[in-house]
Each structure stands twice: as C-alpha cells, then as structure tokens.
C-alpha cells in the first residue's frame, strides 16, 4: 500500500469546521416540535417539507427525511443514530435539566460531574437520538 505524500498535504486540510449536521428523521412533525419548542432552536429556513434548518451557535442543524442524497432505511426504533453534544456552562447544564423535566422530557442521566472533567446531562429526542448537554469543569 502506498503511503500518502505528507509534504504535499491533503485537500482535506482545507476543512475548517463542520458547517451543518443532518439528522435523518422518522417523524418530522415530532422532531420539528422537539427542536423548535423543547430545545428552542431558532428556525433558519425550510427548503422543503423534507429539509428543515435551525441555527445552533455558528452551525446549522438540519432535520431531513432520507432520500435526497441517500435512500437508507430508517434506524430501527431503540437504536440511536447519532449523539449530539451541546456545550453550555456548568450552571446551564442544571438549568437545562430543570427545563427539560418541566417540558416532560425524561432524563437518561441527571446532571453529573464526570471523572474526565465534564458535567453532563443525557436525554433523547423523539426519534431516540442521544442528546447531551455538557460543560467543562
């Protein structure tokens, strides 16, 4: 196997950030409600009923039905397709937990200080994806 020429670099060295994250959804109505009303993410735009964008910090979170770029079957219920971690302050981890519980969202793990220096909170969206609020402590 040939080794890449390290001196010439890679075209991938030009990547500076993840611009947007696409979440393939099973239930668009439930997911829209969750990300708009529970999480409170600012609506950015709707390119079609199958592509909804939200602003999350400097990034874009997209809810999409598979089909445009991939015709994958949906992830089976009971299986998370992804894990999204949202950075906040340590105090805000606790405030997010309180707000999620007020809104009827079950916590998988309450705010907890971890040995690796994070304060975390875990919960799921309507499609079962694992979501985390965390802060470095």
């Amino acid at each position: 196997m040939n080794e890449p020429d390290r001196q010439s670099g890679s075209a991938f060295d030009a990547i500076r950030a993840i611009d947007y994250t696409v979440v393939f959804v099973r239930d668009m109505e439930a997911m829209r409600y969750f990300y708009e009303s529970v999480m409170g993410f600012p609506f950015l735009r709707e390119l079609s009923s199958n592509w909804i964008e939200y602003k999350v910090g400097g990034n874009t979170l997209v809810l999409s039905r598979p089909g445009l770029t991939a015709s994958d079957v949906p992830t089976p219920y009971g299986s998370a397709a992804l894990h999204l971690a949202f950075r906040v302050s340590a105090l805000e981890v606790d405030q997010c937990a309180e707000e999620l519980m007020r809104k009827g969202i079950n916590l998988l793990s309450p705010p907890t200080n971890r040995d690796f220096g994070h304060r975390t909170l875990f919960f799921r969206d309507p499609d079962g994806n694992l979501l985390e609020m965390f802060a470095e402590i």
Side-chain angles (χ1 to χ4, degrees):
M1 181 174 264
N2 293 336
E3 287 291 320
D5 181 2
R6 303 264 184 228
Q7 292 182 342
S8 66
S10 166
F12 299 112
D13 291 342
I15 296 171
R16 299 293 176 253
I18 294 175
D19 185 62
Y20 62 94
T21 300
V22 178
V23 179
F24 288 132
V25 303
R26 292 185 205 91
D27 185 337
M28 183 65 83
E29 185 177 326
M31 292 287 277
R32 283 194 74 170
Y33 176 82
F34 180 83
Y35 284 99
E36 289 175 17
S37 299
V38 174
M39 298 298 290
F41 291 158
F43 174 81
L44 189 58
R45 63 185 175 166
E46 181 173 342
L47 297 182
S48 75
S49 61
N50 294 324
W51 186 276
I52 313 298
E53 296 181 359
Y54 300 93
K55 197 69 177 161
V56 182
N59 298 296
T60 301
L61 179 70
V62 176
L63 301 180
S64 176
R65 287 194 176 95
L68 177 65
T69 59
S71 58
D72 297 12
V73 297
T75 303
Y77 281 100
S79 300
L82 63 109
H83 173 161
L84 295 175
F86 303 102
R87 183 188 308 255
V88 295
S89 73
L91 175 62
E92 291 164 331
V93 170
D94 295 85
Q95 293 170 340
C96 289
E98 291 170 13
E99 186 169 339
L100 288 166
M101 289 186 297
R102 274 196 316 274
K103 292 179 177 181
I105 304 301
N106 293 324
L107 304 182
L108 298 175
S109 172
T112 305
N113 290 339
R114 306 292 177 171
D115 292 339
F116 50 85
H118 284 185
R119 182 161 183 77
T120 64
L121 154 69
F122 291 93
F123 57 105
R124 292 189 186 275
D125 70 15
D127 268 4
N129 296 304
L130 185 61
L131 305 181
E132 172 185 1
M133 305 303 289
F134 84 96
E136 293 183 10
I137 53 173

